[in-house]
């Protein structure tokens, strides 16, 4: 590791050509005020636009800029992981390229880090420029995640944070494929502190976390840190089985001790469909866990680096693409 680098800023990007110039300018301005050495690590997560070419040009005349060009889109959490693998700084800062998280907050994070905190994360108190549905689903996601997981993952927080070198090194030891970085940061522990802020509206472009990706992210978070859904399935199964048994006793009582006849073909079909739906739901929950076990068992690299640009093309370190992810 280059001990001359004080700060590493990781900027994952996916189709961000409309904002990348302003992102570079603002982050560059903020880091320049620190008076210390830094590197800007842009991770291109398989973008189809020209944002990677723009950053490549910056790297030709700005020695602080590094571009990690992934071979395809591996996902936001994997792109962050790739940036951490290449980061050389004593402190690592993660910030998205869309400028919803203000780069100016980095200076406050650095102050808290210098005071002794190993993790400084940004907590949103307001989300500007987002629809009510987006705000509601995001709030629901964090609350369900907090209830479901067995570790304390702060609510209303994203990946915008500063982590100490020792925290980064510990995260690099965690090999799981379906990554949930903010959960992993909470899992490793160390001294952590929140900084509250108002999240800005996107400068341009569209969100890279629509409902489908939010659902996947929530499933990754829950299944990575808790087996409560499986326990809940067992509890619900026991409750429905007990209810069915009591209903059977009721039917036998009517048949043996009364002249009444249980009526209602529709109700019987309804109960049957409910039970069948519950069984399929539980199989789906089990499938989520089994699918993740299958992903881990394949032993494939977490990501593949196509090129590394820092003034000129460089060969990616071999361990970043294969050695780290070999089966043990």
């Amino acid at each position: 590791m280059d001990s001359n680098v004080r700060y590493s800023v990781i900027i994952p990007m996916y189709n961000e050509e409309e904002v990348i110039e302003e992102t570079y300018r603002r982050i560059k301005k903020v880091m320049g005020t620190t008076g210390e050495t830094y590197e800007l690590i842009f991770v291109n997560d398989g973008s189809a636009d020209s944002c990677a070419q723009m950053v490549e040009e910056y790297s030709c005349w700005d020695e602080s800029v590094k571009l990690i060009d992934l071979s395809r889109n591996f996902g936001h959490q994997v792109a962050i992981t790739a940036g951490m693998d290449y980061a050389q700084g004593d402190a690592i800062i993660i910030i998205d390229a869309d400028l919803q998280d203000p780069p100016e907050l980095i200076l406050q994070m650095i102050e808290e880090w210098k005071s002794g905190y190993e993790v400084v994360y940004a907590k949103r108190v307001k989300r500007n420029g987002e629809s009510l549905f987006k705000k509601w689903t995001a709030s629901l996601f964090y609350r369900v995640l907090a209830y479901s997981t067995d570790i304390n993952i702060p609510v209303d927080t994203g990946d915008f944070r500063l982590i100490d070198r020792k925290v980064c090194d510990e995260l690099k030891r965690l090999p799981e494929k379906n990554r949930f970085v903010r959960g992993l940061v909470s899992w490793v522990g160390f001294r952590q502190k929140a900084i509250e802020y108002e999240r800005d509206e996107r400068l341009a472009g569209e969100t890279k976390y629509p409902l489908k990706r939010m659902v996947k992210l929530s499933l990754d978070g829950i299944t990575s840190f808790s087996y409560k859904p499986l326990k809940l399935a067992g509890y619900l199964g026991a409750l429905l089985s007990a209810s069915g048994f009591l209903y059977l006793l009721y039917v036998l009582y009517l048949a043996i001790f009364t002249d009444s006849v249980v009526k209602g073909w529709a109700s019987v079909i309804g109960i049957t469909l409910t039970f069948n739906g519950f069984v399929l739901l539980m199989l789906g929950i089990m499938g989520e866990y089994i699918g993740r076990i299958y992903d881990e068992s394949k032993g494939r690299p977490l990501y593949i680096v196509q090129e590394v640009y820092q003034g000129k093309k460089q060969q990616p370190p071999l361990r970043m693409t294969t050695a780290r992810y070999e089966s043990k």
Side-chain angles (χ1 to χ4, degrees):
M1 186 183 73
D2 186 354
S3 59
N4 292 324
V5 178
R6 184 64 165 167
Y7 305 110
S8 296
V9 184
I10 299 172
I11 310 149
M13 58 182 188
Y14 178 66
N15 295 337
E16 298 288 4
E17 66 177 353
E18 296 179 82
V19 299
I20 203 65
E21 182 177 355
E22 180 66 10
T23 300
Y24 167 72
R25 186 191 67 81
R26 283 180 62 180
I27 296 178
K28 181 78 175 177
K29 180 180 179 181
V30 169
M31 299 310 298
T33 63
T34 63
E36 300 178 274
T37 57
Y38 63 89
E39 60 179 358
L40 306 181
I41 304 176
F42 291 85
V43 183
N44 178 38
D45 189 25
S47 298
D49 61 11
S50 62
C51 63
Q53 289 77 12
M54 295 171 66
V55 174
E56 181 185 347
E57 291 179 5
Y58 300 155
S59 71
C60 291
W61 50 267
D62 185 347
E63 62 181 9
S64 69
V65 174
K66 180 184 293 184
L67 172 63
I68 311 300
D69 192 14
L70 303 185
S71 62
R72 65 169 177 83
N73 178 250
F74 287 92
H76 180 256
Q77 302 294 292
V78 174
I80 292 175
T81 302
M84 288 192 293
D85 283 340
Y86 280 85
Q88 298 178 331
D90 298 324
I92 292 85
I93 300 148
I94 304 167
I95 183 171
D96 288 341
D98 57 17
L99 291 180
Q100 285 189 278
D101 301 322
E104 293 73 20
L105 200 64
I106 292 175
L107 298 177
Q108 188 175 349
M109 290 181 173
I110 290 176
E111 290 180 5
E112 298 294 347
W113 173 65
K114 289 183 176 180
S115 70
Y117 290 98
E118 285 97 357
V119 176
V120 184
Y121 58 88
K123 182 176 181 179
R124 306 157 184 161
V125 295
K126 188 176 181 181
R127 305 168 69 104
N128 297 315
E130 296 183 351
S131 65
L132 290 176
F133 179 75
K134 174 67 174 179
K135 293 177 181 178
W136 179 79
T137 53
S139 177
L140 179 63
F141 161 67
Y142 289 115
R143 272 70 190 173
V144 170
L145 184 64
Y147 171 77
S148 302
T149 56
D150 299 323
I151 62 173
N152 181 26
I153 302 177
V155 299
D156 300 322
T157 61
D159 295 307
F160 183 30
R161 62 190 61 220
L162 179 152
I163 62 175
D164 187 83
R165 163 52 54 185
K166 66 170 70 76
V167 179
C168 182
D169 290 340
E170 293 301 325
L171 290 172
K172 289 165 67 173
R173 295 174 56 200
L174 307 179
E176 52 250 58
K177 301 293 188 296
N178 297 283
R179 301 182 73 79
F180 186 63
V181 173
R182 69 200 72 166
L184 295 175
V185 173
S186 296
W187 184 85
V188 297
F190 297 99
R191 295 186 63 198
Q192 306 197 10
K193 184 174 182 179
I195 296 178
E196 295 185 343
Y197 77 111
E198 291 188 12
R199 198 176 199 214
D200 296 330
E201 185 178 356
R202 281 186 64 93
L203 183 65
E206 299 179 353
T207 177
K208 304 306 184 293
Y209 267 105
L211 181 60
K212 180 179 179 180
R213 290 199 174 189
M214 281 295 293
V215 170
K216 182 183 184 304
L217 184 66
S218 64
L219 289 176
D220 287 341
I222 293 172
T223 55
S224 295
F225 297 99
S226 175
Y227 54 88
K228 284 184 179 179
L230 295 175
K231 294 177 67 176
L232 179 62
Y235 295 148
L236 290 177
L239 177 62
L240 289 176
S241 296
S243 299
F245 180 71
L246 292 176
Y247 182 73
L248 176 61
L249 293 179
Y250 171 70
V251 171
L252 291 175
Y253 170 79
L254 292 179
I256 297 174
F257 299 103
T258 70
D259 295 329
S260 300
V261 178
V262 178
K263 299 180 181 180
W265 174 258
S267 62
V268 173
I269 294 299
I271 293 173
T272 301
L273 292 176
T274 299
F275 273 84
N276 289 340
F278 171 77
V279 171
L280 292 176
L281 175 63
M282 295 307 104
L283 288 175
I285 292 176
M286 294 175 62
E288 288 291 335
Y289 284 90
I290 294 172
R292 282 155 174 75
I293 295 172
Y294 175 64
D295 283 342
E296 299 294 335
S297 68
K298 288 184 288 188
R300 294 174 182 171
L302 186 59
Y303 59 86
I304 298 175
V305 174
Q306 181 171 260
E307 298 286 356
V308 178
Y309 297 90
Q310 191 174 21
K312 60 180 180 179
K313 291 183 181 180
Q314 300 177 355
Q315 290 296 324
L318 179 62
R319 75 176 194 88
M320 301 299 183
T321 56
T322 56
R324 179 186 160 198
Y325 307 103
E326 289 178 355
S327 300
K328 297 182 179 180

